[in-house]
Amino acid sequence: CAMRNMKPAISMEIAELAVDFRQQGVVGFDLAGEEGGYPPKKHVDAFHFIQRENFNITIHAGEAFGKESIWQAIQWCGAHRIGHATRLIEDMKIKDGAVQSMGTLAQFVLDKRIPLEICLTSNVHTGAVKDLGDHPFGILYRYKFRVMLNTDDRLMSKITLSDEFKLAADTFHLKIDDLEKLTINAMKSAFIPYKKRIALIYDVIKPGFTKARAKL
């Protein structure tokens, strides 16, 4: 993971290290940290290197800075996944909880099935949203964006992924089918080989939720 406030030469070194250690378990290259004043395109050379090496890219974007950060992450840096994307909601016209229309960025993210790593608790703690009820997750999920739940920072937020699932279920009235969908979304978007993703979905996730339904 490179930090936004790093010099581009340092982020390039980290990108090269990530690729060098792909056979030892490194699965992708990430950019995180304060968005304001540190746009993703500042590190565009590192991301272009990663792209040329057929490696994976995820970028924290649109947590608090705005939809422009998400646009840069995708169009300048080739992000395969977006961390947070809280401000993607700014590219939608919403009335009474329903999406009336989408801008070109939101429509592109939806159509291209770009995964969005949603971090409910962390977004409240950082002030990206005022409270859970205001979080755009509910709208993004209802309108079929490829969303998944993440902790972001287990140490600072003192949470587990199980906590996030329960929080999402309680706040957005999710049922077990919804939790299964979120889990499958995450596995579809995992930075592991296709065959392993399929095997985990059909051999682990689906049987696990079938057992859970039987207990309910």
Side-chain angles (χ1 to χ4, degrees), residues 159-180:
I159 54 171
T160 65
L161 190 56
S162 296
D163 294 327
E164 291 295 90
F165 267 72
K166 185 177 188 306
L167 194 63
D170 292 343
T171 305
F172 300 100
H173 311 292
L174 303 183
K175 305 300 182 183
I176 192 166
D177 288 352
D178 299 308
L179 301 182
E180 181 181 32

Side-chain angles (χ1 to χ4, degrees), residues 20 47 57 59 68 75 92 106 134 140 146 151 186 205:
D20 287 345
F47 287 112
I57 297 171
I59 300 177
E68 295 83 3
Q75 304 301 349
M92 305 178 200
D134 291 331
L140 295 172
R146 183 175 284 182
T151 57
I205 295 174

Side-chain angles (χ1 to χ4, degrees), residues 140-156:
L140 295 172
Y141 179 67
R142 289 203 312 274
Y143 283 86
K144 311 301 182 182
F145 285 81
R146 183 175 284 182
V147 293
M148 64 197 77
L149 293 175
N150 296 260
T151 57
D152 187 33
D153 193 326
R154 293 181 60 178
L155 177 62
M156 299 302 294

Side-chain angles (χ1 to χ4, degrees), residues 30-68:
D30 186 16
L31 181 68
E34 173 61 40
E35 292 180 84
Y38 302 103
K41 66 180 182 180
K42 175 183 176 182
H43 304 279
V44 69
D45 289 341
F47 287 112
H48 285 177
F49 167 76
I50 290 290
Q51 288 176 306
R52 290 194 298 273
E53 294 295 328
N54 300 316
F55 208 40
N56 301 305
I57 297 171
T58 181
I59 300 177
H60 291 218
E63 180 181 12
F65 186 70
K67 64 180 183 180
E68 295 83 3

